[in-house]
Amino acid sequence: MKTTKALPVLAVALCVPGVVLRALHVLNGFDIATGLPRAGDAWIWYFTALLVAGAVAYVVLAAPLRAKKTVPFEQLLGTQSPGFRMAAVISGLLLFAGGLFYLYLTITTVEEDAAAWARALEIVYSAVSVGCGFSMIALAKAQGSPITSQSAKLTLVPLIWSCLHLLVNYRMTCVDPKLPSFAFGLVADVMLVIAFYHLARLLYGKPRPASLAFFSAAAITMAVSDIGGVALSYLMGVDVLDWSGKMLLRGGMSAAACVLLAAELAVLCSSTAQPQETE
């Protein structure tokens, strides 16, 4: 169980080389004039290799958590740690602010050939993002006391948000031929959905803490590396991908949600939740 405590540290630490490799991929893997992927770019494979190696390590480190399937939620994720609450509040506030700003961009930005249902979907997404921010803060407070049926429902809001987040991202990129420019972000969004599903699953059905740990760690590394690398390329003055403001904001909101997942992962992998003894 001692090695499992290294899982949240590794998930966050791998974001550093992940951001660098993703930035190098953006800077070298696309033609500046057309924005199309370049044939024979090696950086995409270096970045992919890092993510695969990280995933293998996460599987190994999360495996001991299978022994905690029968441990109650309060013992697995119950905490009154100020650090955990601070991380949850930061994550919630970022999603709250991101949702409001996304609503502003949706109302003020006119997209060509955008259907009315797509605009309505983004408005709903903005509203759910705001609600998700409040729910994350409330969930952090609830984890410091016995969970009730009402507080258990707080886990459903991030799950609904992550599903809408994936749907909106896919709608905005499904007709884009430049797959390497957004594929990593879409996979990260899938990891977010599964991670929040397993967080809710602890209270609704059969808990799988090992799966929660793995998908949370994978989501953290992929989401932060993806948007961090793109942002780093922009800071270097190279506008290769030409992402819209809303796409960059959605990437930032993915990273904001990962702040809560990192905090939950740290609690889950801590030494305070011991596996149930068997006779």
Side-chain angles (χ1 to χ4, degrees):
M1 296 302 295
K2 291 183 179 180
T3 57
T4 304
K5 294 168 64 175
L7 180 55
V9 178
L10 181 62
V12 174
L14 286 183
C15 292
V16 177
V19 167
V20 174
L21 289 176
R22 176 59 167 153
L24 289 171
H25 168 229
V26 172
L27 294 172
N28 298 282
F30 299 89
D31 184 83
I32 296 179
T34 63
L36 296 174
R38 289 176 176 172
D41 172 54
W43 290 107
I44 187 174
W45 300 112
Y46 297 151
F47 183 47
T48 302
L50 174 70
L51 297 178
V52 171
V56 172
Y58 299 156
V59 169
V60 174
L61 293 175
L65 291 171
R66 293 177 181 175
K68 295 184 177 182
K69 283 185 177 181
T70 56
V71 177
F73 180 90
E74 287 83 0
Q75 190 176 348
L76 278 175
L77 292 177
T79 180
Q80 295 183 351
S81 168
F84 169 78
R85 291 195 176 187
M86 181 177 68
V89 169
I90 291 173
S91 179
L93 290 178
L94 287 175
L95 272 175
F96 174 79
L100 289 179
F101 190 45
Y102 198 90
L103 179 61
Y104 168 77
L105 291 178
T106 301
I107 294 175
T108 58
T109 303
V110 178
E111 298 181 22
E112 295 183 0
D113 301 326
W117 69 265
R119 191 175 182 86
L121 175 64
E122 291 194 281
I123 293 175
V124 171
Y125 168 70
S126 302
V128 174
S129 297
V130 172
C132 184
F134 282 119
S135 295
M136 286 180 170
I137 297 173
L139 179 61
K141 182 178 179 181
Q143 287 181 220
S145 58
I147 298 294
T148 65
S149 59
Q150 293 300 318
S151 56
K153 293 177 182 178
L154 293 171
T155 60
L156 299 178
V157 183
L159 175 58
I160 295 172
W161 170 83
S162 63
C163 292
L164 280 173
H165 182 72
L166 174 62
L167 180 60
V168 172
N169 263 341
Y170 177 75
R171 187 200 73 80
M172 299 294 287
T173 56
C174 63
V175 295
D176 193 333
K178 297 176 288 185
L179 183 63
S181 68
F182 61 84
F184 293 108
L186 278 182
V187 176
D189 291 338
V190 173
M191 297 295 130
L192 271 176
V193 172
I194 301 176
F196 281 120
Y197 163 73
H198 281 291
L199 179 61
R201 186 185 173 109
L202 290 177
L203 295 172
Y204 294 91
K206 301 176 181 179
R208 290 185 179 177
S211 297
L212 171 61
F214 169 78
F215 287 109
S216 295
I220 292 166
T221 302
M222 292 196 68
V224 175
S225 296
D226 179 56
I227 188 60
V230 174
L232 181 59
S233 68
Y234 273 80
L235 290 175
M236 296 177 68
V238 181
D239 187 6
V240 180
L241 298 183
D242 192 26
W243 279 10
S244 66
K246 289 200 290 187
M247 192 162 183
L248 289 170
L249 180 57
R250 289 196 303 272
M253 292 169 72
S254 294
C258 286
V259 174
L260 176 67
L261 288 179
E264 298 282 10
L265 184 61
V267 174
L268 179 63
C269 297
S270 68
S271 59
T272 57
Q274 299 296 331
Q276 189 177 32
E277 296 181 358
T278 57
E279 295 182 359

